[in-house]
Amino acid sequence: MNLQAIQSSGYEVVFGDASELLIDFLQKRNYSKIFFLVDTNTSEHCYPGIALNIAGDIPHDIIEIDNGEENKNIDICIGIWKMLLDFGADRKSLVINLGGGVVTDMGSFAAATYKRGIDFLQIPTTLLSQVDASVGGKTGIDVDAVKNMVGTFTNPQTVIIDPSFLLTLPKREIISGFAEIIKHGLIVDKEYFNAIKFIIFDDIDPLIIHRSVAIKNEVVTADPHEKNIRKKLNYGHTIGHAIESYSLQHDKNPLLHGEAIAIGMIAESYLSHKFADLQQEELNEICDFILSVYPSYKVDENSFDDLLAFMKNDKKNEDDKINFTLLNSIGTSTINYYCSEEEILESIKFYNNLIK
Amino acid sequence: MNLQAIQSSGYEVVFGDASELLIDFLQKRNYSKIFFLVDTNTSEHCYPGIALNIAGDIPHDIIEIDNGEENKNIDICIGIWKMLLDFGADRKSLVINLGGGVVTDMGSFAAATYKRGIDFLQIPTTLLSQVDASVGGKTGIDVDAVKNMVGTFTNPQTVIIDPSFLLTLPKREIISGFAEIIKHGLIVDKEYFNAIKFIIFDDIDPLIIHRSVAIKNEVVTADPHEKNIRKKLNYGHTIGHAIESYSLQHDKNPLLHGEAIAIGMIAESYLSHKFADLQQEELNEICDFILSVYPSYKVDENSFDDLLAFMKNDKKNEDDKINFTLLNSIGTSTINYYCSEEEILESIKFYNNLIK
């Protein structure tokens, strides 16, 4: 099946075989040097196939980092800058980020700032990064466990989405990425939300990915610098990000991004019912569906102070108030709600009670 | 004397009393929080005067760093990011960089990347930063002594130039900054080059600063991302930057930026005579004038390998070739010359022989 390219601001998201699309792209350009940024996983599962296809034709160097969100930090980023320097990367060089969100976020930040900016290309290899990190031009790294505290808005030259990479992923990773797909349905597209209930995790329909990218692209091209409606994509993330950060610091086996966002979406649906127009029936529908997909994770009440502290550092806040996107119904949402600390904790308790 | 504001790309460079201009700017905006970034020097000599004038009206926090080029590094930058976070800076906050090039370069990089970018304002307080770092939108930090290895092109909201700050500077700093003024004359304006010979270092004519900013502004607005003619500003810097970096690492009392650039301009004038159209007479005129202003500094021949290594990391290079801007005459220049390692070392020996 041929999926149409999606036009974003100044670049395209193309779908298909990564090697073919990459060769096609490079034939039109004239880069002085080419670098692949990979992690331990993509070095083993994704890079070899591409290397086999391009090997003789396209000389390149490889920079490898350890996989895992805890590595999306400034120290690893400094390592990438130094490797680029050591390998002689100049302003006409290209960085190809081959990996999940850690590789695409950090690799694009490293490229966007190396010698004041060199070209980069995204090849997201996880479901999460294909439907989320792939479009929107956000680059970033975590500092002191504050997610994406430092970054830029910089667009890639192109984004290549190859659904076959998903076959190499553990099911837990797939289900984590699915949280962003659920979110896309909930914030702007009820029909899509109904359709994705029939997803088959072992064999994701590429049309689902395509539709999610198209939804996200529509939102981010309308508001690239997150001044207004792009904040819709923050639904589930104010509380979810805080739970994810806390879990990263405290749990032996921390939550994956999407697992935390799933909890955030339930809590923020509760707030949507209480403060926006979300009806009880749809609240139940959302909770039932999310709980049917995601494992139970009790949020420790001892973490509440830390969670609030994380939320206060959220980039969307202004004047120390914690900013939310809430649902008016499944498929419609409104930005810039502010909820009190008490109400926020109440929403987390609501989630905790559901999984009793 | 009222100096006219200079229009750059999307922002203005204004001249006059810093406090008045700052109050004027802030009255038109609505920032959630305001931060001053200062260094040990400006904290003592420049900030108090401003604080006295704005104190009651404009609540703000202060972030202070040690002065000196060796502090323009990623560790100090991380410290600035964390302070911003601790002070609760959000996307509607403003950073005011009050200082020389270290403060304006690093403060603007920190602001341009904090939470993917917040507003910043430049108040350059040294002659060097007033005539050089003030316009052009370059932000940056050094990594491993490689100057500005990491940075962005991001414009400030405005630039305030208050010539009275120069009265607080040691004469050595003034003379260092003067190197960029000489450069502006040499690359595009012979008349200006002749005029600045009569500069009085103890009482710099603000018109000189204004003309230098205007020259730089004309060049950078024509080519903001340094794809072509902006490289003219690199004259003297290919060799000068390398000597500066080496001196920073090896000398007890390292060269100031402009002192190194002065050497670079002599060496690159030699290359201009050899490879471009610069005539012997003008070469002599340039050397005589620069040597009459700057102290003698013998470039150690043992440093030559290291100097070449630094030059190879210059951001303007492509394909491992070392890029130069050369003079055709005083007041005209051409970009994208490439010289061999031998020729480069010959030009440094030429300088060394002059100061024998």
Side-chain angles (χ1 to χ4, degrees):
Chain A
M1 173 175 37
N2 252 333
L3 289 171
Q4 221 185 337
I6 292 175
Q7 302 299 323
S8 196
S9 350
Y11 67 98
E12 275 190 341
V13 184
V14 293
F15 295 78
D17 178 81
S19 303
E20 278 176 30
L21 292 166
L22 182 59
I23 291 168
D24 191 45
F25 170 85
L26 291 172
Q27 272 168 352
K28 293 178 210 145
R29 306 290 184 110
N30 186 21
Y31 287 107
S32 61
K33 286 198 172 112
I34 292 168
F35 299 88
F36 277 87
L37 180 69
V38 297
D39 68 13
T40 332
N41 286 335
T42 56
S43 156
E44 187 184 337
H45 298 296
C46 307
Y47 170 74
I50 294 179
L52 206 67
N53 288 317
I54 67 166
D57 307 322
I58 304 168
H60 58 271
D61 289 301
I62 303 168
I63 300 175
E64 183 175 331
I65 59 172
D66 287 340
N67 62 298
E69 177 76 24
E70 67 277 18
N71 294 305
K72 201 174 117 179
N73 63 50
I74 185 70
D75 292 324
I76 304 289
C77 184
I78 292 171
I80 297 172
W81 284 328
K82 288 187 183 174
M83 294 274 282
L84 287 171
L85 192 76
D86 289 345
F87 280 132
D90 62 32
R91 282 194 178 160
K92 296 239 169 142
S93 296
L94 172 74
V95 175
I96 298 170
N97 299 309
L98 179 68
V102 171
V103 167
T104 57
D105 284 8
M106 183 158 59
S108 55
F109 178 69
T113 53
Y114 178 77
K115 297 194 176 185
R116 297 203 182 91
I118 63 174
D119 280 0
F120 62 93
L121 185 156
Q122 308 283 51
I123 310 184
T125 57
T126 62
L127 183 58
L128 179 63
S129 59
Q130 291 189 349
V131 299
D132 187 37
S134 58
V135 281
K138 282 189 178 179
T139 81
I141 53 172
D142 306 340
V143 177
D144 275 1
V146 179
K147 285 179 67 70
N148 299 314
M149 188 176 113
V150 166
T152 62
F153 288 102
T154 313
N155 286 326
Q157 294 302 303
T158 200
V159 178
I160 292 174
I161 293 185
D162 184 340
S164 77
F165 286 135
L166 303 184
L167 301 173
T168 68
L169 287 183
K171 193 167 173 191
R172 188 180 165 198
E173 286 278 353
I174 295 278
I175 289 177
S176 169
F178 184 55
E180 298 291 341
I181 293 176
I182 297 175
K183 182 190 77 179
H184 291 144
L186 288 177
I187 58 172
V188 293
D189 191 338
K190 182 170 186 165
E191 201 181 320
Y192 182 56
F193 178 74
N194 288 330
I196 59 172
K197 287 183 178 165
F198 303 100
I199 195 166
I200 299 158
F201 291 120
D202 295 331
D203 184 20
I204 306 260
D205 184 345
L207 272 173
I208 289 184
I209 300 170
H210 192 271
R211 177 71 192 134
S212 256
V213 173
I215 288 175
K216 177 157 186 192
N217 187 53
E218 248 172 72
V219 175
V220 299
T221 50
D223 173 29
H225 289 179
E226 204 165 27
K227 304 279 186 201
N228 43 67
I229 72 153
R230 184 170 179 162
K231 292 186 192 171
K232 285 196 174 194
L233 297 166
N234 196 39
Y235 167 69
H237 281 62
T238 304
I239 293 174
H241 260 164
I243 292 174
E244 181 188 8
S245 293
Y246 185 86
S247 173
L248 261 179
Q249 288 186 328
H250 293 84
D251 293 339
K252 247 193 184 160
N253 177 21
L255 288 172
L256 297 182
H257 176 72
E259 293 168 346
I261 298 312
I263 299 170
M265 287 195 288
I266 288 179
E268 295 179 24
S269 293
Y270 171 82
L271 295 172
S272 301
H273 172 58
K274 198 158 170 190
F275 299 107
D277 292 332
L278 188 69
Q279 298 301 301
Q280 181 73 49
E281 204 179 318
E282 291 203 327
L283 170 63
N284 296 345
E285 185 184 343
I286 294 167
C287 295
D288 288 349
F289 178 55
I290 291 178
L291 291 173
S292 76
V293 173
Y294 291 89
S296 297
Y297 174 92
K298 189 100 181 171
V299 181
D300 183 357
E301 298 216 355
N302 291 321
S303 72
F304 281 5
D305 283 350
D306 287 353
L307 294 182
L308 290 170
F310 277 121
M311 285 180 228
K312 284 178 195 157
N313 282 332
D314 195 288
K315 285 178 290 299
K316 288 100 194 166
N317 296 340
E318 280 168 29
D319 298 325
D320 290 328
K321 289 180 294 182
I322 301 172
N323 186 295
F324 285 90
T325 294
L326 298 181
L327 303 179
N328 299 309
S329 68
I330 292 175
T332 67
S333 50
T334 306
I335 63 169
N336 289 344
Y337 280 90
Y338 293 95
C339 300
S340 72
E341 299 190 0
E342 231 169 41
E343 291 153 2
I344 294 168
L345 297 182
E346 190 181 300
S347 77
I348 301 175
K349 286 180 194 158
F350 166 80
Y351 161 77
N352 268 348
N353 284 330
L354 287 182
I355 59 155
K356 251 189 200 160
Chain B
M1 172 175 37
N2 251 332
L3 290 171
Q4 220 184 340
I6 292 175
Q7 302 298 324
S8 195
S9 350
Y11 67 97
E12 275 190 341
V13 185
V14 292
F15 296 76
D17 179 81
S19 303
E20 276 175 31
L21 293 166
L22 183 58
I23 290 168
D24 191 45
F25 170 84
L26 290 172
Q27 272 168 352
K28 294 179 209 142
R29 307 289 185 109
N30 186 20
Y31 286 107
S32 62
K33 288 200 170 109
I34 293 169
F35 300 87
F36 277 87
L37 181 69
V38 297
D39 68 13
T40 333
N41 286 335
T42 55
S43 155
E44 188 184 336
H45 298 295
C46 307
Y47 170 74
I50 294 179
L52 206 66
N53 288 316
I54 67 167
D57 306 324
I58 304 167
H60 59 271
D61 289 300
I62 304 169
I63 301 175
E64 183 175 333
I65 60 171
D66 287 340
N67 62 299
E69 177 77 24
E70 68 275 17
N71 294 305
K72 201 175 117 181
N73 63 49
I74 185 70
D75 293 324
I76 304 289
C77 185
I78 292 171
I80 297 172
W81 285 327
K82 287 187 184 175
M83 295 273 281
L84 287 171
L85 192 75
D86 289 345
F87 280 132
D90 62 33
R91 282 193 178 161
K92 296 240 168 141
S93 296
L94 172 75
V95 175
I96 298 169
N97 298 309
L98 178 69
V102 172
V103 166
T104 58
D105 284 9
M106 183 159 59
S108 56
F109 177 70
T113 52
Y114 177 76
K115 297 195 176 185
R116 297 204 181 88
I118 64 175
D119 280 1
F120 62 94
L121 186 155
Q122 308 284 51
I123 310 185
T125 57
T126 63
L127 182 59
L128 179 62
S129 59
Q130 289 188 349
V131 299
D132 187 37
S134 59
V135 280
K138 281 189 176 180
T139 82
I141 53 173
D142 306 340
V143 177
D144 274 2
V146 179
K147 285 180 66 72
N148 300 314
M149 187 176 114
V150 166
T152 62
F153 288 103
T154 314
N155 286 326
Q157 294 303 302
T158 201
V159 178
I160 292 174
I161 293 186
D162 184 339
S164 76
F165 287 136
L166 303 184
L167 301 173
T168 69
L169 287 182
K171 194 167 174 192
R172 188 179 167 198
E173 287 277 352
I174 296 277
I175 290 177
S176 168
F178 184 56
E180 298 291 340
I181 292 176
I182 298 174
K183 183 189 77 178
H184 291 146
L186 287 177
I187 58 173
V188 295
D189 191 339
K190 182 170 186 166
E191 200 180 322
Y192 182 56
F193 177 74
N194 288 330
I196 59 173
K197 287 182 180 167
F198 304 100
I199 194 165
I200 299 158
F201 291 121
D202 295 331
D203 183 19
I204 306 259
D205 184 346
L207 272 173
I208 289 185
I209 301 171
H210 191 271
R211 177 70 191 134
S212 256
V213 174
I215 288 175
K216 177 156 187 191
N217 187 54
E218 247 173 72
V219 175
V220 298
T221 51
D223 173 29
H225 288 178
E226 204 164 27
K227 304 281 185 200
N228 43 66
I229 72 152
R230 183 170 181 162
K231 291 186 194 172
K232 286 196 174 195
L233 297 166
N234 196 39
Y235 167 69
H237 281 62
T238 305
I239 293 174
H241 260 165
I243 292 175
E244 182 187 8
S245 294
Y246 185 86
S247 173
L248 260 178
Q249 288 185 329
H250 293 84
D251 295 339
K252 246 193 186 161
N253 177 19
L255 288 172
L256 297 182
H257 176 72
E259 293 168 347
I261 297 312
I263 300 171
M265 287 194 289
I266 290 179
E268 295 180 24
S269 293
Y270 173 82
L271 294 173
S272 300
H273 172 58
K274 197 157 174 192
F275 300 107
D277 293 332
L278 187 70
Q279 299 300 303
Q280 182 73 47
E281 203 178 320
E282 291 203 326
L283 171 62
N284 296 346
E285 184 184 346
I286 294 168
C287 294
D288 289 348
F289 179 54
I290 290 177
L291 291 173
S292 76
V293 173
Y294 290 89
S296 297
Y297 174 93
K298 188 100 181 171
V299 182
D300 183 356
E301 299 217 356
N302 292 320
S303 72
F304 282 4
D305 284 350
D306 287 354
L307 293 182
L308 291 171
F310 277 121
M311 286 179 227
K312 284 178 195 155
N313 283 331
D314 196 288
K315 286 177 289 299
K316 288 99 192 167
N317 297 340
E318 278 168 31
D319 299 324
D320 291 327
K321 289 180 294 182
I322 300 172
N323 186 297
F324 286 89
T325 294
L326 299 181
L327 303 179
N328 298 311
S329 68
I330 292 174
T332 67
S333 50
T334 305
I335 63 169
N336 289 343
Y337 280 91
Y338 294 95
C339 301
S340 72
E341 299 189 0
E342 233 169 40
E343 291 152 2
I344 294 168
L345 296 182
E346 191 180 299
S347 76
I348 300 174
K349 286 178 194 157
F350 167 80
Y351 160 78
N352 269 347
N353 284 330
L354 287 182
I355 59 155
K356 251 187 202 161

